[in-house]
Each structure stands twice: as C-alpha cells, then as structure tokens.
C-alpha cells in the first residue's frame, strides 16, 4: 500500500503543525494556510483525505469540500469546526463530507477519524475495482473467473461451442457444470434450437428409457398414448445429460447406440427415428474408475469422453473467490434491494481461506445469507457462518495456495488465523470470562473486546450453561 496523502487546511499555523506531528510517518502530509491556497493545490494533485477548517479567509471549508469532490469524488473530506458552527458541519456532511472534528479535539480522536476516512476510501476503491474486473472477465458473460485454471476452461468451452461435438463436463458439485452446459449451447450454432436438461439420477430407473427415447402407444401398462422422448424434444438443439454416471447399465447400452447411429427407437417401436441432437453430459464421478469397476459401460465412456472439460474446485482457484463474491454481492443486493457495498478485509480473507466443499454454489449461499443478516453496508467477519470464522488448519495454507498470494496477503491471512486461534483458545481457557481473558492476555478489556468483534469471536459461545 502506498503512503496515504493528506491535505490539511487551516489558517492557524499551530493546527497545521499539530497534524504534521500526529499523523507522522504513515502519511504524507501537505498543508495549506488558507482556502485559496488549498484550491490551488487541489487543482494540481489529488489527495486521499482532506482535513479542512470551516471558517477561513480566502475560500471557506464548503468551497474546499466542493473543489475536492469535483476533482476526485472518492477523496474523503473531514471538517474542523468550533462548537458554534456544528450545524454548518452537519450541512457539510450532507454535502458529502465524511465526518467533522469539533475544536478543541483530542489528537488521538483526529488520528482515528483520518484513519477511518482512509479505510473507507480504500474499501470503496476495492469495490469499484472488483466491479470493473467482474465486467471485464473473459468469454461468457455470466461465468465468472480469471484464474489460469478457469481461463483454460473458458478456452475449451469456446472450442466446444464452435464444434458440434459431444462434451463431457467433469467437476465436483457446485463448480458450474450446468451453467457451462447452458453457456455452451447458447454460444453454439444450435442456440435457436431447444436446450433440454435431464437429471439422469433423479429419474426412476424403470422410466429412464421411455423418458429419454419415448414410447409407442400401449408399450407398457400406463402408456395410454404414444409419447416422444427427451431426445426428440431436443431436435435441432442440445440435450444435457446431467449426472450421466447414474444411468442404469441397460439404458447406457441404448444411449451408446443412439449416439453412434444418431437415431433412437421409442420403447415398443421397431422403426428408428433420426435425431439431430448435440449431447453435453456431466458428472461429479470419476467415470473411468466407474468403468473399471464395471458400473459404467466402457464403450459409452469412450463415446462421451471425446471432449472432456474439467471445472476446477474453488479451493484450487482461490483468486476467483473475491470476484465471485463481488458478483454475488451485486446480484443479491439487487434482489433484496439492499445497499451492502463491500467486504471488511477480514471477511474477504476468511472467504478466500475457506476450503469450499460445496464450491461456487456454497459461496453464493454464504453471500446471500450475509447480505440478509448484516446490519450495515459492509459484510463483516461475524456475518459469515461459523465454519468460515474458524481458523483453517495450522493457520498456514498449502504451499501452492500460498504461492498464489502476494507477500502481504499471505502474512495478513496467517496473522488473522493466528489471532483467531489465540482468541478462541484464550476464551476457552477462561470459560468466556472476558475480564480474566484480558488479564491473561495482558491487555485492556476494551481492546480485547475490539479484537473479539474484529475476528467474530463471541465470548457467549464459551460460557457453559450451568
Ligand atoms: N464461474 C461461475 N460464475 C458465476 N456463477 C457460477 C460459476 N460457477 C457456478 N456458478 C453458480 O453456482 C451455482 C451452482 O452451479 P451449477 O448448478 O452449474 O453447478 P453444478 O456443477 O451443476 O453442481 P451439481 O454437480 O451439484 O449439480 C449456480 O447458481 C451457478 O450459476
Ligand atoms: Mg448440476
């Protein structure tokens, strides 16, 4: 992170000196001794935070506020004012100032307000840059991902869409197999034809055959009239055979024949019907192993395995988590008509660090729930489910995950995990008694409370009921 640039505007020399001293090394402080000088500086360069007196010769604080917001709307402005003009300060906040300091103020309070303003500016920038990234992602508009693994997948999907071949989508639950199947269809030459999804695992085994291939009138008890199957329904389009690994073996034989000969036979009928259908199949199983174990026909395996596309689990492409999280945040805020803007850094790190056994679907559920439970405009660690707040493993991620992070991200995430693990152990040892925990930690009770809130650790969770 670069050094934050702060402009301090006041006609009192000692006030300018005070800020120079209290803000110290973490900030690069520029000063202006009147409003006019401030406006000149603002025209030349941009600042992260502007702290300005309200009443000054030259231009007053309102004009400085206006000029700042005109030049860079994301810069935060803090007003300083004597008691008599607090109503002016309130008006300034209505016009977009971040906060005000009432003179005389405690230097610590001033440092805190500047730090908060800066944090807010950075969170806003984070949100804006994620939004830009989400809009600029490759390939298919609604499939989010920029990791090398997803880029490979996008390339394969594009090829699959261009060529009229059988596609086999592989991946754990929630990795986007159905989403990709639809995208492939709608990006293909068959896009004006039907897309017919079938969940092979959900059909009762004695009905699968007639569902897929249709049946003749009176073919079996209950078959009152003739009925075309899903293959025929998909004429000219795409048939999506989801959970293809669950098909009963006898139906696998017929499916293999249909794919080979491009024709089907309705149950109870001898004459074949030509079908012009592209098949996209999906499974979360290892079909090759299934074939070796005799649960899946080997000939069908090879017929489906023409163009396999593997959708990687989310834990192997953690760099996609912030993008997906921002995408789902925008999506569900719209649905709930809420204005949740960003994630607290700790919350984002917990999202990135989690192992996501349910993959993207689980991530979407977590974000949706967090939007529903959060009381403010940011999603904090405590808005996330307990399993995400628990320290992951030893606090260090596997080497290949670590290597994908910047040094700073890696250290921050390790420190978060260590802090959380410490707080949990500490409170467990005192049975949730914060006063005793603070003594043991050799820190102020208030500071410990702040840490507990920051890391979403609740003392109540450690108290026994009796
Ligand atoms: N890369 C992605 N970008 C945006 N949304 C995604 C992405 N991957 C998955 N999703 C969303 O996650 C949810 C789960 O995806 P989908 O149903 O396609 O998974 P699946 O692999 O078919 O899972 P299952 O094996 O459990 O059926 C859907 O709501 C989908 O829109
Ligand atoms: Mg699915």
């Amino acid at each position: 992170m670069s050094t934050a640039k702060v402009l301090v505007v006041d006609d009192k020399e000692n006030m300018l000196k005070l800020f120079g001293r209290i803000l110290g090394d973490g900030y690069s402080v520029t000063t202006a001794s009147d409003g006019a000088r401030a406006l000149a500086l603002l025209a030349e360069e941009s600042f992260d935070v502007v702290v300005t007196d309200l009443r000054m010769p030259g231009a007053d604080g309102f004009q400085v506020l206006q000029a700042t917001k005109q030049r860079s709307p994301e810069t935060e402005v803090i007003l300083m004012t004597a008691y008599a003009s607090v109503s002016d300060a309130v008006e300034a906040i209505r016009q977009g100032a971040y906060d005000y300091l009432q003179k005389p103020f405690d230097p610590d309070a001033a440092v805190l307000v500047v730090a908060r303003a800066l944090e807010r500016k950075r969170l806003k920038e984070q949100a804006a840059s994620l939004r830009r990234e989400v809009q600029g992602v490759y390939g298919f508009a609604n499939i989010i991902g920029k990791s090398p693994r997803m880029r490979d997948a996008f390339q394969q999907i594009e090829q699959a869409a261009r060529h009229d071949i059988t596609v086999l989508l592989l991946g754990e639950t929630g990795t986007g197999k159905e989403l990709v199947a639809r995208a492939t269809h709608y990006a293909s030459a068959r896009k004006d034809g039907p897309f017919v999804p079938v969940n092979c695992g959900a059909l009762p085994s004695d009905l699968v055959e007639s569902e897929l291939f249709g049946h003749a009138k009176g073919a079996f008890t209950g078959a009152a009239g003739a009925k075309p199957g899903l293959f025929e329904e998909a004429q000219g389009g795409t048939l999506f055979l989801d959970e293809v690994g669950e098909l009963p073996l006898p139906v696998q034989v017929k499916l293999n024949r249909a794919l080979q000969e491009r024709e089907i036979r309705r149950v109870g009928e001898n004459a074949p019907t030509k079908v012009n259908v592209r098949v996209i199949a999906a499974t979360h199983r290892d079909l090759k192993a299934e074939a070796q174990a005799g649960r899946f026909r080997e000939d069908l395996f090879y017929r489906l395995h023409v163009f396999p596309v593997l959708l990687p689990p989310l834990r192997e492409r953690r760099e996609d988590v912030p993008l997906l999280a921002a995408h789902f945040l925008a999506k569900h805020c719209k649905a709930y008509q809420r204005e949740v803007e960003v994630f607290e850094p700790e919350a984002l790190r917990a999202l990135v660090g989690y192992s996501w056994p349910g993959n993207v679907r689980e991530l979407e559920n977590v974000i949706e729930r967090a939007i529903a439970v959060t009381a403010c405009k940011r999603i904090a660690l405590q808005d996330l489910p307990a399993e995400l707040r628990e320290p992951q493993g030893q606090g260090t991620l596997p080497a290949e995950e670590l290597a994908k992070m910047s040094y700073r991200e890696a250290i921050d995430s390790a420190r978060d995990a260590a802090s959380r693990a410490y707080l949990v152990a500490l409170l467990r040892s005192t049975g949730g008694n914060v006063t005793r925990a603070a003594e043991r930690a050799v820190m102020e009770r208030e500071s410990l409370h702040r840490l507990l809130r920051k890391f979403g650790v609740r003392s109540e969770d450690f108290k026994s009921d009796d």
Side-chain angles (χ1 to χ4, degrees):
M1 237 182 269
S2 57
T3 313
K5 290 171 70 183
V6 181
L7 173 65
V8 186
V9 192
D10 201 301
D11 53 335
K12 308 269 184 335
E13 181 66 27
N14 58 359
M15 194 54 90
L16 300 179
K17 281 207 180 116
L18 174 75
F19 271 97
R21 203 170 60 236
I22 62 178
L23 288 182
D25 295 341
Y27 302 83
S28 135
V29 180
T30 307
T31 58
S33 54
D34 62 60
R37 174 101 191 91
L39 296 189
L41 280 167
L42 282 165
E44 274 167 22
E45 55 183 310
S46 59
F47 297 88
D48 295 304
V49 177
V50 174
V51 185
T52 176
D53 195 15
L54 197 56
R55 301 271 160 82
M56 294 173 296
D60 69 8
F62 282 107
Q63 283 168 287
V64 173
L65 170 62
Q66 252 179 20
T68 306
K69 291 286 170 182
Q70 235 167 41
R71 150 118 204 164
S72 62
E74 62 281 4
T75 300
E76 299 292 354
V77 178
I78 298 161
L79 272 301
M80 293 182 286
T81 176
Y83 180 66
S85 53
V86 164
S87 64
D88 283 344
V90 172
E91 174 57 28
I93 285 175
R94 281 235 305 269
Q95 293 186 24
Y98 170 67
D99 204 350
Y100 68 87
L101 283 163
Q102 190 177 309
K103 287 179 177 176
F105 49 78
D106 176 0
D108 285 348
V111 175
L112 200 64
V113 173
V114 172
R116 281 213 197 102
L118 189 65
E119 198 204 7
R120 180 160 110 148
K121 178 175 183 255
R122 289 195 165 139
L123 286 173
K124 279 198 302 201
E125 281 167 352
Q126 174 213 68
S129 91
L130 284 174
R131 263 199 302 277
R132 272 195 303 277
E133 276 195 63
V134 167
Q135 283 156 4
V137 265
Y138 307 73
F140 302 93
N142 55 346
I143 309 177
I144 309 297
K146 61 161 188 178
S147 58
R149 303 279 307 267
M150 275 309 276
R151 275 187 224 180
D152 287 351
F154 281 131
Q155 238 177 24
Q156 293 172 13
I157 298 162
E158 263 167 55
Q159 282 177 323
R162 269 206 310 277
H163 300 102
D164 205 34
I165 44 175
T166 303
V167 175
L168 179 62
L169 299 172
L170 303 163
E172 292 176 10
T173 181
T175 47
K177 296 185 293 294
E178 175 147 10
L179 183 67
V180 165
R182 280 178 200 278
T184 308
H185 168 75
Y186 287 105
S188 76
R190 295 176 175 270
K191 64 174 185 294
D192 295 323
F195 176 82
V196 179
V198 197
N199 187 335
C200 302
L203 292 170
S205 58
D206 54 336
L207 280 183
V208 186
E209 188 183 345
S210 72
E211 281 294 316
L212 283 179
F213 305 115
H215 60 75
K217 183 175 176 194
F220 48 86
T221 336
K227 187 173 169 264
L230 295 166
F231 253 99
E232 283 174 77
E233 216 174 277
Q235 269 304 357
T238 304
L239 182 65
F240 175 45
L241 297 175
D242 203 358
E243 307 296 357
V244 73
E246 319 303 307
L247 276 182
L249 283 163
V251 183
Q252 290 179 20
V253 177
K254 299 207 161 135
L255 175 60
N256 189 44
R257 193 180 312 135
L259 291 175
Q260 186 184 344
E261 288 162 10
R262 312 223 146 259
E263 56 185 35
I264 51 120
R265 279 182 183 76
R266 290 186 181 180
V267 177
E269 241 173 51
N270 278 326
T273 309
K274 282 271 166 216
V275 283
N276 169 17
V277 166
R278 182 230 288 241
V279 166
I280 300 180
T283 180
H284 64 277
R285 291 186 189 278
D286 180 347
L287 275 194
K288 189 161 197 178
E290 293 290 294
Q292 275 157 2
R295 287 188 294 267
F296 200 81
R297 297 269 316 191
E298 204 164 17
D299 50 3
L300 180 58
F301 169 74
Y302 285 111
R303 198 166 295 286
L304 292 176
H305 205 262
V306 181
F307 197 98
V309 177
L310 175 67
L311 298 174
L314 201 47
R315 65 181 171 281
E316 288 176 14
R317 47 181 174 109
R318 291 178 197 269
E319 57 271 57
D320 287 340
V321 171
L323 272 185
L324 284 161
H327 169 72
F328 293 132
L329 185 67
K331 175 176 163 190
H332 292 289
C333 274
K334 218 163 161 191
Y336 282 90
Q337 303 197 333
R338 291 282 312 271
E339 278 183 50
V340 185
E341 289 161 353
V342 286
F343 299 92
E344 300 272 6
E346 294 82 20
L348 200 55
R349 284 202 287 271
L351 290 171
V352 173
Y354 182 57
S355 58
W356 299 112
N359 293 295
V360 184
R361 182 183 295 114
E362 186 183 9
L363 173 62
E364 178 163 10
N365 291 340
V366 164
I367 304 294
E368 187 176 359
R369 173 184 171 278
I371 293 169
V373 302
T374 187
C376 56
K377 291 195 170 186
R378 298 173 186 186
I379 289 179
L381 199 54
Q382 69 255 27
D383 302 323
L384 303 178
E387 61 270 24
L388 272 82
R389 288 186 267 122
E390 307 250 299
Q392 312 266 321
Q394 296 306 308
T396 34
L397 296 163
E400 71 269 28
E401 305 301 335
L402 273 179
K404 286 181 192 156
M405 299 180 168
S406 71
Y407 174 67
R408 201 186 175 100
E409 283 167 344
I411 297 300
D412 282 352
S413 110
R415 204 191 34 221
D416 281 4
S419 300
R420 238 176 288 146
Y422 174 72
L423 293 171
V424 167
L426 182 67
L427 283 185
R428 195 166 285 148
S429 78
T430 66
N433 184 324
V434 180
T435 309
R436 272 201 291 135
E439 277 166 22
R440 211 166 277 180
V442 197
M443 66 196 297
E444 297 289 333
R445 203 169 170 281
E446 255 320 293
S447 314
L448 179 59
H449 263 303
R450 219 174 305 127
L451 270 186
L452 292 173
R453 263 200 305 279
K454 179 170 169 184
F455 288 104
V457 178
R458 283 182 272 244
S459 58
E460 305 89 81
D461 294 348
F462 299 89
K463 289 186 177 135
S464 52
D465 293 332
D466 42 64

